[in-house]
């Protein structure tokens, strides 16, 4: 079972929906043991929403979707609706309001391109999808008031990948990496090599800093939800302050992940490049 918030930061009802929408959606997913995909990218406006009188209709194209091909329902996201207050919804075209809905995946309206092949990761199924709906579509929808939680989630993904790469490399170094013999003071093995120890110290310090920043950003977001989730009355200044922490975390986590996952080649030795060792997978994961 997966919820709309499990894959790549896709939204769930508890973060961008009302309490009623959250309860209804979680009940649907859990009782049916659904795997939920997502055609979501709040940075793009390539999927539009219109109103047919009784229902909202999604149409357009998403270059990336996560797990959609193998999903039961899919989270759709588009622009075109704007709200006036908490309960009265009005329809405006060409606005920047992002709306999310959960729709059954197996329907003629959702057409997958089956074209995902990113640095060899063909089976993650994040290819493009076209939405060509019939006249009637799902009525349930959410409004997004920002994607801070998504960016924080991505940052933790990158941080976790970097930690995994560091731990993987350290075990390999201790077991397999040989020291360089042509030095004034040879050591017994790679784990005692000064240059290698220096690199691992670099990894450790930067990962410590990223973890500390992630903890602060997480506390900031938690405080927002604790104080404003019920009334949704957060001010622009409060959101802006948290956004600074989240953006800082994303910069540091991304940079650290790239440095660590590429740097592990320097501390493991030439034999770690063999395909059976799979050292390259950590760098691929951090870039995809």
């Amino acid at each position: 079972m997966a919820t709309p918030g499990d894959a790549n930061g896709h939204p769930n009802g508890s973060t961008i929906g009302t309490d009623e929408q959250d309860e209804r959606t979680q009940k649907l997913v859990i009782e049916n043991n659904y795997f939920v995909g997502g055609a979501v990218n709040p940075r793009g406006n390539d999927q539009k929403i219109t109103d047919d009188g009784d229902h909202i209709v999604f149409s357009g194209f998403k270059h990336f979707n996560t797990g959609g091909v193998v999903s039961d329902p899919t989270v759709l996201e588009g622009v075109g609706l704007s709200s006036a207050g908490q309960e009265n919804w009005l329809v405006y075209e060409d606005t920047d309001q992002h709306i999310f809905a959960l729709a059954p995946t197996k329907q003629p309206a959702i057409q997958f391109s089956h074209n995902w092949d990113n640095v060899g990761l063909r089976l993650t199924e994040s290819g493009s999808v076209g939405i060509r709906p019939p006249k009637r579509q799902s009525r349930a929808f959410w409004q997004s008031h920002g994607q801070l939680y998504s960016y924080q989630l991505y940052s933790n993904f990158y941080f976790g990948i970097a930690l995994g790469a560091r731990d993987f490399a350290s075990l390999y170094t201790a077991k397999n990496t040989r020291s360089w013999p042509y030095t004034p003071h040879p050591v017994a093995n790679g784990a005692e090599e000064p240059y290698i120890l220096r690199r691992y110290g670099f990894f450790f310090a930067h990962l410590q800093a990223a973890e500390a920043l992630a903890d602060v950003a997480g506390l900031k977001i938690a405080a927002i939800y604790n104080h404003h989730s019920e009334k949704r009355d957060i001010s622009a200044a409060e959101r802006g302050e948290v956004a600074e922490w989240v953006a800082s975390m994303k910069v540091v986590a991304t940079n650290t992940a790239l440095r660590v996952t590429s740097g592990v080649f320097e501390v493991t030795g030439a034999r770690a490049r063999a395909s059976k060792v799979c050292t390259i997978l950590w760098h691929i994961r951090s870039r995809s």
Side-chain angles (χ1 to χ4, degrees):
M1 185 274 289
T3 68
D6 287 337
N8 274 354
H10 291 151
N12 56 50
S14 63
T15 53
I16 61 174
T18 65
D19 291 341
E20 185 275 330
Q21 288 170 328
D22 177 35
E23 182 178 353
R24 171 161 44 88
T25 302
Q26 300 293 348
K27 185 174 186 292
L28 174 69
V29 171
I30 293 171
E31 288 185 351
N32 292 281
N33 196 31
Y34 279 160
F35 180 84
V36 182
V40 174
N41 182 6
R43 295 178 62 187
N45 297 335
D46 44 4
Q47 188 161 239
K48 302 298 182 183
I49 304 173
T50 56
D51 185 11
D52 71 356
D54 296 319
H55 299 78
I56 58 173
V57 179
F58 287 76
S59 62
F61 191 81
K62 284 291 182 185
H63 290 281
F64 299 102
N65 82 94
T66 299
V69 175
V70 295
S71 67
D72 299 300
T74 294
V75 179
L76 302 178
E77 173 261 337
V79 295
L81 290 176
S82 183
S83 66
Q86 291 291 324
E87 300 178 354
N88 300 317
W89 289 83
L90 302 176
V91 178
Y92 301 98
E93 295 188 10
D94 300 323
T95 70
D96 59 357
Q97 293 291 322
H98 289 259
I99 309 300
F100 301 82
L102 196 65
T105 301
K106 293 177 175 61
Q107 58 173 298
I110 299 179
Q111 303 168 6
F112 297 101
S113 301
H114 301 279
N115 58 350
W116 182 247
D117 189 5
N118 185 279
V119 288
L121 298 177
R122 297 186 302 275
L123 300 181
T124 53
E125 293 294 1
S126 294
S128 57
V129 58
I131 311 297
R132 303 287 183 268
K135 183 175 177 60
R136 302 182 68 82
Q137 186 56 275
S138 170
R139 182 174 179 82
F141 53 86
W142 301 310
Q143 180 187 20
S144 169
H145 291 284
Q147 300 299 319
L148 294 180
Y149 69 94
S150 293
Y151 297 132
Q152 174 71 355
L153 183 61
Y154 274 114
S155 299
N156 281 281
F157 283 161
Y158 300 143
F159 175 62
I161 292 169
L163 282 175
R166 190 272 313 272
D167 292 346
F168 172 87
S170 64
L171 290 174
Y172 186 93
T173 298
K175 183 178 181 180
N176 300 293
T177 303
R178 296 180 294 180
S179 60
W180 186 249
Y182 308 113
T183 65
H185 306 285
V187 293
N189 53 60
E192 299 177 11
E193 186 75 52
Y195 173 78
I196 291 177
L197 292 174
R198 176 179 178 273
R199 294 297 293 166
Y200 275 115
F202 174 91
F203 298 160
F204 178 81
H206 283 74
L207 287 168
Q208 289 283 88
E211 183 176 14
L213 188 54
D215 288 344
V216 174
L219 290 173
K220 294 286 186 180
I221 291 181
I224 279 185
Y225 284 112
N226 288 336
H227 291 96
H228 301 288
S229 59
E230 183 174 349
K231 295 184 179 180
R232 299 179 182 267
D233 56 351
I234 183 173
S235 68
E238 289 174 306
R239 188 187 185 282
E241 179 182 351
V242 175
E244 289 179 343
W245 282 98
V246 173
S248 298
M249 170 57 190
K250 191 169 188 295
V251 170
V252 171
T254 302
N255 184 269
T256 301
L258 292 175
R259 289 191 174 197
V260 173
T261 58
S262 61
V264 293
F265 292 103
E266 302 175 28
V267 295
T268 51
R271 289 180 296 176
R273 290 162 174 78
S275 58
K276 65 179 181 180
V277 181
C278 298
T279 309
I280 188 63
L281 286 182
W282 299 101
H283 192 61
I284 290 174
R285 289 164 180 160
S286 68
R287 299 195 67 88
S288 61

